[in-house]
Amino acid sequence: MEEKKDLNLSLQNLKAKALSDLEKIKDQVALDNWKTVYLNRSSEIMQIFKEIPLANPEERPRIGQNANIVKAELETQFESARERIKQAALTQNLTQDRVDVTLPGRIPERGRLHIASQTLQEIYRILAEMGFQVYRSREVESDEYNFELLNIPAHHPARDLWDTFYTTKESVILRTHTSPGQIHAMHEFAPEPVRIILPGMVYRYEQMDASHEIQFNQVELLAVGENITFGDLRGTLEEFVKRMFGSGVETRLRPSYFPFTEPSAEMDMQCIACQGKGCNVCSGTGWLEILGCGMVHPVVLKNGGYDPQRFSGFAAGLGPERISMLRYGIDDIRNFWANDVRFLQQF
Ligand code: DAH
């Protein structure tokens, strides 16, 4: 008689192997593979079912019963393995992605105004209290406004004072100072009196170093009216310096030259680093130059539309970056536009 395959033994081996494989499974992919190997239509258990009709008739019921029990067992164990893997994944997620609610929060960085803007705003505030209104004027200028109408004709030696950025368009330049705004304002207001400040960026074709930048701010003052005197100029500027730097600060005027003012002067203030004793900030003189000024030249008044016989005026130009440098001991003007937050954060 042909040797019959012992299906009961096969079932026993199959069950042992399937369950030991299942025990080792740790993830969903391996579990799916297990199911394909042990429970799908071509799996070993299904194969055994097909072979039952070939077994001895008296053994068939027991084998059939046995096969059913093994199949049911594999299915139950599969379900519990699936639950085990699901739970393990859940626990892992919870521990890995745990939010530590006791950690301190991240403090958002506070923004601030640039040091140049802070100084400008303080200058506006002080001069507004003294009756000056802000007048904005363009940064791209014509040669006519930047020079000619300010009494600086072409080939005038004073043009050497301003190294100019020219554009590719004839006579179109970047303003080298805020003074051309004087002419724009006078054209707008004449013959009414004016009392304004003209703040903004100016540009110079400079070799950059610790005290030279190719761009910086200026604040221009202009007052035009009847009976405006050099005394008004002096009183206004002295008052401004006292409000800006403190009431104890001494000032002095020195004669100077600018083509658009006559007479012209420069104002010095007592060195704030050494209170006038003399130090390296003031090169030992005890004084710091802080602005240029003068009485508006009759030619400039006329170019602005005022009759110089009837009207007079004073003007001044100051550098807010220089004021910031003096106040805070900043020793390199290039810091202002280098955008280094370590510098900017200090103010
Ligand atoms: N515009 C001059 C400069 O950039 C500064 C200046 C000097 C302006 C005297 C004035 C003034 O209004 O009266 O160097």
Side-chain angles (χ1 to χ4, degrees):
M1 202 174 85
E2 188 196 334
E3 180 78 21
K4 279 261 167 7
K5 194 170 164 191
D6 185 343
L7 290 178
N8 278 320
L9 187 63
S10 297
L11 280 168
Q12 211 179 314
N13 290 342
L14 167 64
K15 181 179 155 189
K17 184 157 186 309
L19 293 185
S20 112
D21 278 0
L22 189 61
E23 239 173 60
K24 292 175 208 136
I25 285 174
K26 294 226 161 39
D27 63 82
Q28 188 63 44
V29 178
L31 185 68
D32 290 340
N33 282 339
W34 183 93
K35 191 182 182 191
T36 315
V37 172
Y38 290 105
L39 286 171
N40 84 350
R41 265 191 288 147
S42 51
S43 62
E44 203 182 333
I45 184 81
M46 299 315 268
Q47 222 42 55
I48 291 173
F49 275 113
K50 278 184 206 155
E51 286 171 29
I52 294 174
L54 308 173
N56 287 332
E58 64 275 21
E59 285 186 27
R60 280 180 213 159
R62 210 164 65 83
I63 298 171
Q65 210 179 14
N66 236 340
N68 277 326
I69 291 171
V70 170
K71 183 164 178 273
E73 174 75 1
L74 294 188
E75 281 165 352
T76 336
Q77 290 305 322
F78 170 79
E79 283 307 324
S80 65
R82 187 157 76 173
E83 191 56 29
R84 165 172 64 80
I85 286 165
K86 204 172 99 186
Q87 284 303 333
L90 201 66
T91 318
Q92 202 194 14
N93 274 349
L94 283 176
T95 46
Q96 254 178 16
D97 302 338
R98 187 161 54 193
V99 175
D100 183 350
V101 292
T102 65
L103 277 178
R106 293 195 190 96
I107 298 165
E109 293 257 11
R110 278 183 73 192
R112 70 195 72 217
L113 287 177
H114 191 284
I115 173 63
S117 303
Q118 290 181 38
T119 303
L120 276 172
Q121 290 196 352
E122 196 171 347
I123 294 171
Y124 301 163
R125 183 182 58 72
I126 292 169
L127 289 167
E129 284 169 6
M130 295 170 66
F132 287 81
Q133 220 175 327
V134 172
Y135 186 93
R136 301 252 165 216
S137 138
R138 65 189 67 156
E139 292 180 15
V140 176
E141 267 299 353
S142 62
D143 186 276
E144 189 190 13
Y145 276 80
N146 196 81
F147 296 118
E148 302 268 333
L149 294 171
L150 288 167
N151 201 28
I152 319 168
H155 313 301
H156 189 292
R159 284 208 184 194
D160 287 351
L161 291 176
W162 298 278
D163 295 300
T164 311
F165 277 116
Y166 293 91
T167 68
T168 49
K169 197 162 156 44
E170 172 97 17
S171 304
V172 177
I173 61 166
L174 297 184
R175 66 177 176 189
T176 59
H177 51 176
T178 44
S179 304
Q182 290 189 26
I183 306 288
H184 289 293
M186 286 193 268
H187 285 169
E188 188 174 324
F189 295 120
E192 297 298 320
V194 292
R195 190 154 43 164
I196 53 170
I197 56 175
L198 303 134
M201 203 57 97
V202 302
Y203 302 88
R204 303 257 174 105
Y205 186 42
E206 299 269 12
Q207 180 67 49
M208 278 164 70
D209 62 30
S211 49
H212 292 89
E213 247 291 5
I214 58 172
Q215 62 170 87
F216 50 95
N217 284 290
Q218 279 192 340
V219 178
E220 188 98 3
L221 275 81
L222 176 68
V224 180
E226 287 174 277
N227 305 317
I228 289 186
T229 66
F230 197 89
D232 296 323
L233 164 68
R234 179 172 196 152
T236 303
L237 295 178
E238 276 180 1
E239 183 62 21
F240 167 74
V241 171
K242 286 196 182 341
R243 292 193 192 194
M244 190 85 202
F245 293 96
S247 53
V249 175
E250 294 294 321
T251 54
R252 72 176 185 190
L253 282 168
R254 269 183 298 106
S256 185
Y257 173 76
F258 300 102
F260 32 85
T261 44
E262 179 60 35
S264 303
E266 277 170 305
M267 182 169 262
D268 296 339
M269 69 173 205
Q270 213 175 46
C271 179
I272 43 178
C274 63
Q275 279 81 38
K277 289 187 201 72
C279 65
N280 59 356
V281 175
C282 57
S283 320
T285 63
W287 294 97
L288 295 166
E289 178 199 322
I290 51 158
L291 55 83
C293 59
M295 299 306 289
V296 182
H297 197 289
V299 168
V300 175
L301 282 174
K302 195 153 150 280
N303 290 343
Y306 289 89
D307 175 4
Q309 299 298 327
R310 228 183 105 197
F311 290 91
S312 57
F314 70 75
L318 55 105
E321 274 77 79
R322 182 161 156 79
I323 289 179
S324 301
M325 290 171 81
L326 292 173
R327 283 184 129 186
Y328 297 107
I330 300 164
D331 57 8
D332 193 327
I333 194 172
R334 289 170 295 191
N335 284 323
F336 281 89
W337 320 117
N339 278 340
D340 185 334
V341 281
R342 291 169 304 177
F343 170 75
L344 299 171
Q345 269 171 344
Q346 299 175 90
F347 307 100

